[in-house]
């Protein structure tokens, strides 16, 4: 009887829950002596043993719903003749965490048996899995700079960058709040409206006026974040087709924000704060 600690995550995206096991320890399946013939050790999760464990060790581990956890390698571990250890190690996988509680440790008992009678060193493993739950969101990560300009993160969470010229283009990169191993996801953006820019100028104490409509455009407003990655693989791209209409010695403020891409079930919504925004400001001296 042994106990090992793992970590499980449940992420909600557009009404669906996705369960992952990002951190686990593979434990060897051992025999007391070498197998006399090729054998297979089978294993299953046994939720009924949680209460017995609690009684013996005076713990208060919560019960686990049937089907919440699975055993690795479909619960089958081959042992070759003459070997005292299975080829694969054993661990548990979080399969359906929809009924589990956030920030809670679950005891997952696993029972083992050899099909052809090999004597197991351990017939029960107890895994403790710490489960966290949350929503998958997207936010701005960085913005391209030129000639030594720097992008800053404001107290509101938004990215802010200032230029003294209007570049041909500005690239913006997005990031997720956490890794999402299940699938590539999409992040969409749009320009801030004149009303949103006026509010930003007031709230952030920016000098200047909103950049006039039609001065800037997002030539690329949809990017993709590969599975198991935080950062988008490509960039949102901002162009300024009518920059010649801007006046010198004037501050201009424009911005980009992330919005939910509704054309895919894997479109990631923005975080609820201004971390989903980037403000791009210009002061043209000549």
């Amino acid at each position: 009887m042994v106990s090992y600690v793992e970590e499980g995550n449940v992420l909600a995206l557009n009404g669906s829950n996705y369960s992952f096991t990002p951190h686990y320890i593979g434990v060897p399946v051992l025999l007391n002596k070498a197998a006399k013939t090729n054998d297979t050790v089978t294993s299953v999760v046994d939720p009924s043993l949680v209460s017995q464990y609690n009684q013996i060790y005076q713990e208060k581990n919560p019960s686990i719903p049937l089907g919440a956890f699975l055993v690795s390698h479909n619960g089958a571990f081959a042992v070759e003749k003459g070997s005292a250890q299975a080829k694969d190690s054993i661990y548990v996988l979080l399969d359906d965490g929809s009924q589990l509680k956030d920030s809670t440790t679950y005891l997952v008992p696993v029972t083992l048996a050899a099909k052809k009678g090999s004597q197991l060193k351990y017939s029960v493993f107890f895994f403790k899995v710490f489960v966290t739950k949350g929503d998958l969101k997207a936010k701005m990560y960085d913005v391209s700079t030129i000639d030594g300009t720097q992008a800053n993160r404001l107290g509101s969470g938004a990215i802010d960058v200032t230029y003294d010229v209007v570049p041909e283009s500005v690239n913006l990169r997005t990031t997720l709040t956490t890794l999402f191993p299940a699938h590539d996801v999409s992040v969409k953006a749009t320009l801030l409206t004149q009303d949103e820019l006026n509010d930003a100028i007031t709230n952030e104490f920016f000098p200047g006026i909103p950049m006039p409509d039609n001065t800037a455009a997002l030539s690329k407003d949809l990017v993709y974040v590969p599975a198991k990655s935080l950062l988008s693989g490509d960039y949102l791209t901002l162009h300024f087709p009518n920059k010649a209409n801007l006046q010198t010695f004037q501050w201009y403020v424009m911005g980009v924000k992330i919005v939910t891409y509704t054309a895919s079930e894997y479109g990631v919504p923005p975080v609820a704060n201004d971390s989903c925004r980037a403000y791009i400001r210009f002061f043209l001296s000549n």
Side-chain angles (χ1 to χ4, degrees):
M1 184 183 302
V2 291
S3 180
Y4 296 89
V5 178
E6 299 188 10
E7 182 181 328
N9 299 141
V10 184
L11 292 176
L13 176 62
N14 299 324
S16 298
N17 286 302
Y18 300 87
S19 300
F20 313 104
T21 314
H23 303 293
Y24 59 85
I25 298 174
V27 183
V29 177
L30 302 174
L31 307 181
N32 277 331
K33 57 183 179 180
K36 295 180 180 179
T37 184
N38 289 342
D39 204 346
T40 300
V41 177
T42 60
S43 60
V44 294
V45 174
D46 188 349
S48 69
L49 294 181
V50 174
S51 60
Q52 295 181 34
Y53 184 100
N54 286 341
Q55 290 176 2
I56 294 172
Y57 295 100
Q58 297 298 297
E59 294 186 9
K60 296 181 179 180
N61 296 290
S63 60
I64 55 174
L66 191 64
F69 297 93
L70 298 176
V71 181
S72 61
H73 305 290
N74 297 314
F77 301 87
V79 181
E80 293 182 346
K81 179 181 178 181
S83 176
Q85 180 174 332
K87 291 181 178 180
D88 298 312
S89 59
I90 188 171
Y91 50 92
V92 294
L93 298 167
L94 179 59
D95 188 57
D96 180 6
S98 58
Q99 300 180 59
L100 303 182
K101 295 180 179 180
D102 181 32
S103 300
T104 301
T105 299
Y106 289 90
L107 180 75
V108 185
V110 175
T111 58
L112 298 86
K115 286 186 175 182
K116 296 183 179 179
S118 296
Q119 188 176 2
L120 293 165
K121 186 172 183 179
Y122 300 106
S123 59
V124 179
F125 286 125
F126 289 98
F127 293 89
K128 287 194 172 183
V129 184
F130 182 71
V131 175
T132 58
K133 305 183 76 170
D135 297 321
L136 186 67
K137 304 286 187 179
K139 60 183 182 179
M140 291 293 183
Y141 180 72
D142 64 12
V143 58
S144 60
T145 57
I146 57 173
D147 297 331
T149 58
Q150 291 185 342
N152 302 301
R153 183 76 68 174
L154 300 174
S156 62
I159 288 178
D160 175 48
V161 63
T162 302
Y163 299 95
D164 58 8
V165 296
V166 181
E168 290 300 318
S169 64
V170 172
N171 293 325
L172 303 102
R173 202 172 192 186
T174 65
T175 184
L176 303 179
T177 51
T178 189
L179 295 173
F180 188 69
H183 201 277
D184 296 352
V185 295
S186 306
V187 179
K188 184 177 175 61
T190 189
L191 298 182
L192 295 179
T193 66
Q194 294 289 300
D195 286 343
E196 289 173 323
L197 291 173
N198 278 313
D199 288 342
I201 289 170
T202 300
N203 295 334
E204 302 288 359
F205 302 100
F206 289 149
I209 60 175
M211 180 176 282
D213 285 337
N214 302 319
T215 305
L218 278 168
S219 56
K220 183 174 178 58
D221 64 356
L222 185 67
V223 294
Y224 297 92
V225 181
K228 302 180 182 180
S229 177
L230 283 176
L231 298 177
S232 56
D234 46 357
Y235 293 84
L236 301 167
T237 304
L238 187 63
H239 282 94
F240 304 91
N242 295 311
K243 64 181 181 179
N245 296 332
L246 299 177
Q247 299 178 6
T248 56
F249 299 102
Q250 172 66 58
W251 278 100
Y252 291 101
V253 181
M254 61 88 56
V256 179
K257 69 175 182 180
I258 296 171
V259 295
T260 303
Y261 180 53
T262 58
S264 168
E265 62 182 308
Y266 297 108
V268 181
V271 294
N273 56 46
D274 282 354
S275 295
C276 68
R277 291 186 174 197
Y279 297 121
I280 297 96
R281 300 189 289 138
F282 304 91
F283 182 78
L284 308 182
S285 56
N286 54 56

